[in-house]
Amino acid sequence: MGSMSRWLDVEAGADDININTLPTNVTFSDLQNDNEVKLIIGDFGRGDDGPRLKIFKGAMQISDLTLPDLPLGVVSFYAVDSNPRPQPVIAVAFSSSVHFYRNLKLFYKYYLPSVELNAGELDIWKQLTNPSNHNEVIILKLTESLHNMPHKVLSIQSRDFLTLTFDEQLEYLENTRELPKRRSGEIVCISSIKLSSVDKHAVSCLVLGTEDGEVIVLDSQTFTQTNVVNISPVKKTPFQIVTTGVYNVDYRITVATREKSVCLLKRDWKAGRILFNTDDHIIAIEVFTTDNSVLVICADKTFSCYNRKGRKQWSLILEHRPICLTLVPISHLGMTLSAVALVSGHVTLYDGKYPRDNIFIRGGHLLLKILKRTADFNSNSTGIESSEANISQRPWLIPKKSKLFLEQAMRERENPKAMHEAFQQELNRLRLLTAQTLLEAYRKSDNFVGAGNMEPIRLSAEVEGLGPVFVVTLIVHNTSSERAVSGLSVLFQVISTGYRVHTPYIKVPLIAPGNQLKFPIKVEEVFSENVNPDVFFRNVTGQAGDGSVIKVLLLKEGKVSPVLAATVTMPPTDPMMIPYDKLETSNFGQNISQK
Amino acid sequence: MGLLDKLSSWMGGGGKVVTVLVLGLDNSGKTTMLRTLTTTEQEGQRQGPGASSVPTVGQRQENFQSGGVSFRAWDVSGAARLRSLWERHYRHCDAVIFVVDSADHLRLVVARSELELMLSHPDMSGRRLPLLVLANKSDAPHALSAPHVASALGLERITDKPWHVCASSALSGEGLGDGVSWLARQLREKH
Ligand SMILES: Nc1nc2c(ncn2[C@@H]2O[C@H](COP(=O)(O)OP(=O)(O)OP(=O)(O)O)[C@@H](O)[C@H]2O)c(=O)[nH]1
Ligand SMILES: [Mg+2]
């Protein structure tokens, strides 16, 4: 399968790497500003090894930092906009704080503001700590009312107190005079959002999700709260946040909750709304930046897609329980795949709902695969071997012969002669069509090898360059061994207005027998004032589309129709070479977001 | 060979002019290598070696001489989006220098796959043109040795072309002389 695969496997010793973490603790960052992306993992550690932040360059671990607690999310972002480009900041979230690292040094700690104690809870504790109330009846009554309060609003002290037996409670109360302190908030998830530009190095601010069902946006420089919103009118607990858009312009914060629903928050909304509910617990979500559709994997082994309005588009049943989901943008092909990892260690890449590739990885390991430059994802032809093996073990689902099929077979047996005749007739018609097309081509001289009178001439063309100015080299070859040709000229015909030919008419001098002449001609792709943003996503080796055809006509003195014609398909201009001064950046951004 | 080419080879003291194609991934050191070669040959007409180079867009042409052979070298860009342009040069080249960043362990597989694509191209396969592989950046930390690079690229499987691998440092020029004189020897024998 090696030669068939779309991937190149990096063999550099990643074998002894032992990772123990969750998907939210894995991120990428150009940590050293050298245009080389590093892999950053907040690792839980194993056994005696505590939690650590591990940095990998390729498959090589280059640094390692002790973390104070189990991490629950790692995010990398740019906090300031300066020139030269600043180092990215790594934010590691723990349940009560977020630590910020720059240059791998801790430089700031953020704590969620603590929450005032519930008045009722405080009142109960006042009575509990009063020694005159220390008898069974009253304590049981107070414990009961404490128990009846929603568990989530209780302080740690109350929660602990409720787990004790009555004797332990009594003993606890005898030793304690203190009222519970203010309750500190708990962080459950972390994400980031671009502040005012989608540029790769643009400033972002942090977005936190809390146990109390709030989403908090932190200022990118002061790390103070700039916005706090509830994710839903009914209390829901977030566990994953995905942001799309730009905070100062327009954005969507999509939140997966533990209560089997996905909530949505938009700019200027006072509170979030439920976008849709799922049948079983959500394991992970992802959101496409292009159309804001939401992918969801659930505990019932489903993988589904919902549109931006929350309507279900499609759903698949997976073979095993999914454990994580991510988007895989393949920018040079202009597509975004999604990857779903299953407990079995299989990772499947999907284009929409169609599986395109399969990868297998052992738990705890690091696997590095590089997509081949020539790979495409248009069909399912490669890399599905492992699932094919599964299929061969399963019995084939062969449908029963239908009535329709039986009737058809019967008719075929009855009418062999008529069928044969019909086939022969169609074959002759095809032959006639071929001959007509050939004659037509000959009459219109739409061919690059001469026939009849002009037999010894051949015309060919080569295109070179990155654009917008290309060089088309025309080669006129006299293939005859005794006759010279003269009186020829070349005329360019541009079908659309997208190209300008610098010398559209050339007189060809005499060509001696067996010789050839080359004519390098400049052809320029012309861009109109408002360029369609699609041109930026064209492939360098692909073709520029229908308008990119140029006809080259070889004319002979004294003849009315051209003797030869060649068609040259121009390659698209490399996006890097497109004259940017013609584009208005603001326009360009709008076009993108409307799509 | 055209008249102009013949003229320039007479002027160059009877040496041959051969076209050599310099290939390799982006950031492997192709431009730096050529700059070092041209400055040592034509003393100090350009910026000194070691001046850092910018990524090449498209292609550039450089000329240098070694072992009685005049080289016309095509330095092409190694960026992934532009690698498909390499094949434009295959038909017109007499030799290939393939530059590998021996400290870039991660992308050795990519270099290998590009080398294989090049060798199997219709304009290349079956032609006995010499292939010089430079295991470049040998001065960098964690650089792999030349034999290690050779086996990672699977050079032992190339049977239709004479090939040679040597460790080099394009910045200091170390190892370049060895490699290029091997290439000159091969080309003198052939022409
Ligand atoms: N340490 C070390 N660095 C080198 C060496 N050769 C090149 N470099 C550095 O590698 C970087 C890239 O070198 P270039 O010569 O521009 O690479 P290139 O192959 O021409 O790259 P493209 O034009 O993008 O295909 C530069 O920063 C060089 O200074 C070497 O032998 N040792
Ligand atoms: Mg270069």
Side-chain angles (χ1 to χ4, degrees):
Chain A
M1 92 162 244
S3 65
M4 292 284 285
S5 167
R6 295 184 176 97
W7 305 92
L8 300 169
D9 287 302
V10 177
E11 281 148 20
D15 289 342
D16 50 347
I17 290 170
N18 196 357
I19 296 164
N20 179 22
T21 189
L22 289 173
T24 50
N25 288 321
V26 179
T27 190
F28 291 102
S29 173
D30 180 5
L31 202 59
Q32 286 150 351
N33 255 340
D34 53 3
N35 282 321
E36 191 185 349
V37 173
K38 313 288 184 299
L39 171 67
I40 298 167
I41 298 179
D43 195 297
F44 295 155
R46 283 182 209 265
D48 290 342
D49 289 342
R52 288 177 166 273
L53 195 66
K54 295 179 172 174
I55 318 284
F56 292 90
K57 173 191 166 108
M60 197 169 23
Q61 186 173 336
I62 52 170
S63 23
D64 171 295
L65 240 150
T66 312
L67 294 178
D69 196 357
L70 290 181
L72 53 83
V74 178
V75 168
S76 160
F77 65 102
Y78 291 93
V80 281
D81 198 3
S82 72
N83 215 347
R85 207 195 311 147
Q87 303 259 338
V89 173
I90 307 282
V92 183
F94 307 98
S95 68
S96 60
S97 63
V98 181
H99 286 198
F100 295 89
Y101 298 85
R102 184 181 284 145
N103 266 329
L104 288 184
K105 288 195 188 68
L106 179 66
F107 74 95
Y108 189 74
K109 292 180 189 173
Y110 168 82
Y111 290 93
L112 272 192
S114 53
V115 185
E116 282 301 335
L117 269 196
N118 183 300
E121 184 184 357
L122 205 61
D123 195 50
I124 295 172
W125 273 98
K126 276 188 187 136
Q127 297 181 43
L128 277 174
T129 43
N130 185 347
S132 62
N133 288 335
H134 286 188
N135 65 65
E136 185 156 356
V137 188
I138 298 181
I139 288 184
L140 274 183
K141 203 177 111 249
L142 289 172
T143 316
E144 182 63 26
S145 40
L146 201 56
H147 201 82
N148 286 338
M149 296 179 70
H151 194 68
K152 269 180 186 155
V153 308
L154 292 184
S155 63
I156 306 285
Q157 186 174 341
S158 301
R159 292 188 204 179
D160 288 346
F161 182 74
L162 287 176
T163 60
L164 304 177
T165 62
F166 176 73
D167 291 335
E168 285 168 339
Q169 284 178 346
L170 210 57
E171 192 186 330
Y172 179 83
L173 289 177
E174 248 134 51
N175 297 326
T176 315
R177 290 276 168 272
E178 284 169 36
L179 297 178
K181 293 198 196 65
R182 302 196 323 160
R183 188 166 64 88
S184 68
E186 261 182 73
I187 301 172
V188 278
C189 50
I190 183 170
S191 180
S192 68
I193 186 166
K194 289 270 156 64
L195 195 62
S196 43
S197 149
V198 288
D199 188 73
K200 194 162 76 179
H201 303 295
V203 173
S204 300
C205 40
L206 273 195
V207 182
L208 302 176
T210 71
E211 187 71 44
D212 297 320
E214 288 162 340
V215 164
I216 299 177
V217 180
L218 296 186
D219 183 273
S220 60
Q221 264 154 51
T222 57
F223 301 123
T224 50
Q225 298 184 14
T226 54
N227 195 2
V228 183
V229 190
N230 271 322
I231 59 168
S232 153
V234 214
K235 171 93 191 353
K236 302 261 179 198
T237 318
F239 74 89
Q240 191 191 354
I241 293 180
V242 182
T243 65
T244 49
V246 174
Y247 188 69
N248 286 340
V249 184
D250 191 23
Y251 63 86
R252 289 165 74 100
I253 296 181
T254 313
V255 187
T257 68
R258 289 191 200 134
E259 289 83 6
K260 303 184 201 169
S261 48
V262 170
C263 297
L264 180 68
L265 268 172
K266 283 164 77 167
R267 188 178 158 82
D268 295 335
W269 283 13
K270 295 278 170 280
R273 298 176 195 164
I274 294 180
L275 190 61
F276 58 87
N277 293 307
T278 56
D279 297 335
D280 206 336
H281 289 286
I282 299 171
I283 292 172
I285 61 168
E286 269 298 350
V287 181
F288 282 102
T289 44
T290 45
D291 59 357
N292 286 309
S293 55
V294 184
L295 295 177
V296 188
I297 48 175
C298 289
D300 56 1
K301 298 188 195 167
T302 55
F303 173 37
S304 332
C305 177
Y306 293 79
N307 70 7
R308 56 187 300 165
K309 296 256 158 48
R311 188 165 307 130
K312 194 189 263 188
Q313 303 294 296
W314 49 261
S315 183
L316 303 174
I317 304 287
L318 302 165
E319 263 180 59
H320 298 277
R321 189 164 53 81
I323 50 173
C324 97
L325 169 69
T326 189
L327 296 182
V328 185
I330 303 203
S331 50
H332 70 283
L333 296 179
M335 66 197 308
T336 300
L337 304 178
S338 51
V340 179
L342 308 179
V343 268
S344 58
H346 289 94
V347 179
T348 309
L349 288 172
Y350 291 89
D351 179 13
K353 60 175 172 174
Y354 304 104
R356 288 293 185 235
D357 211 333
N358 252 336
I359 295 166
F360 178 78
I361 177 168
R362 253 178 325 141
H365 282 243
L366 179 62
L367 196 68
L368 295 173
K369 281 178 175 279
I370 301 178
L371 190 65
K372 279 186 192 165
R373 175 167 64 82
T374 48
D376 72 45
F377 286 93
N378 293 332
S379 70
N380 199 352
S381 56
T382 52
I384 300 290
E385 275 82 357
S386 56
S387 72
E388 257 163 31
N390 287 343
I391 288 168
S392 62
Q393 285 157 15
R394 263 185 269 143
W396 285 95
L397 286 175
I398 302 172
K400 289 224 173 66
K401 279 181 191 164
S402 69
K403 192 157 159 265
L404 198 70
F405 173 81
L406 292 176
E407 281 172 6
Q408 173 77 357
M410 178 88 82
R411 270 208 306 275
E412 282 176 5
R413 248 173 285 140
E414 281 166 6
N415 304 305
K417 196 159 161 247
M419 285 169 60
H420 177 71
E421 279 167 4
F423 170 73
Q424 284 297 328
Q425 200 178 352
E426 284 306 312
L427 183 62
N428 281 335
R429 199 168 287 166
L430 179 67
R431 283 179 178 152
L432 179 64
L433 187 67
T434 318
Q436 277 173 345
T437 313
L438 185 64
L439 186 66
E440 176 95 1
Y442 180 69
R443 210 155 33 84
K444 286 191 182 163
S445 316
D446 197 2
N447 51 339
F448 45 87
V449 181
N453 254 351
M454 290 305 301
E455 217 147 359
I457 303 269
R458 237 172 66 183
L459 181 63
S460 53
E462 258 175 23
V463 188
E464 282 169 338
L466 296 169
V469 181
F470 298 91
V471 173
V472 176
T473 309
L474 275 189
I475 304 165
V476 185
H477 192 174
N478 182 357
T479 49
S480 149
S481 50
E482 57 247 34
R483 264 196 299 154
V485 281
S486 64
L488 294 179
S489 53
V490 172
L491 180 69
F492 277 80
Q493 188 191 5
V494 182
I495 293 164
S496 74
T497 51
Y499 289 91
R500 193 167 68 230
V501 181
H502 284 226
T503 42
Y505 181 77
I506 305 165
K507 266 189 114 63
V508 180
L510 180 133
I511 310 176
N515 261 347
Q516 62 179 35
L517 284 178
K518 286 189 182 180
F519 301 97
I521 293 140
K522 279 190 188 158
V523 177
E524 185 178 354
E525 182 168 9
V526 198
F527 292 96
S528 56
E529 282 307 312
N530 36 26
V531 176
N532 181 348
D534 281 349
V535 301
F536 293 97
F537 302 108
R538 297 187 307 197
N539 201 343
V540 189
T541 49
Q543 312 215 314
D546 296 338
S548 60
V549 172
I550 290 180
K551 273 208 150 179
V552 185
L553 307 174
L554 189 67
L555 310 171
K556 169 103 180 165
E557 228 167 61
K559 274 201 154 195
V560 207
S561 57
V563 283
L564 289 180
T567 313
V568 181
T569 311
M570 301 297 292
T573 293
D574 188 270
M576 296 263 291
M577 313 290 283
I578 291 176
Y580 277 96
D581 46 330
K582 290 201 180 167
L583 315 177
E584 261 184 55
T585 32
S586 56
N587 246 340
F588 175 54
Q590 273 166 17
N591 285 347
I592 288 279
S593 58
Q594 276 161 13
K595 278 179 64 178
Chain B
M1 207 183 242
L3 186 64
L4 266 181
D5 288 354
K6 275 188 188 135
L7 263 181
S8 67
S9 64
W10 289 333
M11 318 258 276
K16 304 176 158 70
V17 178
V18 293
T19 306
V20 44
L21 187 53
V22 183
L23 302 177
L25 302 188
D26 44 313
N27 198 41
S28 55
K30 300 179 291 297
T31 308
T32 314
M33 187 266 302
L34 281 176
R35 180 178 293 159
T36 308
L37 279 177
T38 45
T39 34
T40 47
E41 300 297 326
Q42 303 155 15
E43 234 58 60
Q45 286 173 11
R46 298 156 172 279
Q47 311 149 5
S52 97
S53 58
V54 296
T56 313
V57 177
Q59 63 220 11
R60 285 150 34 94
Q61 200 198 25
E62 298 273 358
N63 297 308
F64 62 94
Q65 297 179 355
S66 170
V69 180
S70 299
F71 288 91
R72 183 197 300 132
W74 280 105
D75 174 18
V76 295
S77 165
R81 337 172 272 121
L82 300 174
R83 273 178 227 152
S84 49
L85 299 175
W86 289 3
E87 58 188 52
R88 298 276 165 167
H89 298 271
Y90 291 170
R91 231 180 322 154
H92 308 293
C93 76
D94 306 308
V96 173
I97 301 180
F98 195 85
V99 185
V100 183
D101 178 349
S102 25
D104 187 356
H105 305 204
L106 195 63
R107 294 201 302 161
L108 267 179
V109 279
V110 183
R112 178 189 180 132
S113 126
E114 293 296 349
L115 182 66
E116 281 170 358
L117 273 180
M118 188 265 287
L119 293 172
S120 61
H121 190 274
D123 288 344
M124 282 301 209
S125 67
R127 285 175 65 193
R128 266 195 77 76
L129 41 82
L131 168 68
L132 171 65
V133 176
L134 292 178
N136 195 33
K137 304 204 187 178
S138 57
D139 56 303
H142 306 295
L144 296 174
S145 66
H148 203 131
V149 170
S151 77
L153 294 180
L155 294 183
E156 71 284 351
R157 298 198 305 185
I158 303 174
T159 50
D160 62 346
K161 293 178 180 51
W163 58 266
H164 181 71
V165 58
C166 63
S168 72
S169 166
L171 280 184
S172 68
E174 209 176 301
L176 290 186
D178 281 357
V180 175
S181 58
W182 174 84
L183 205 59
R185 219 162 38 242
Q186 288 289 325
L187 290 163
R188 264 207 316 271
E189 283 166 16
K190 202 176 128 194
H191 285 259

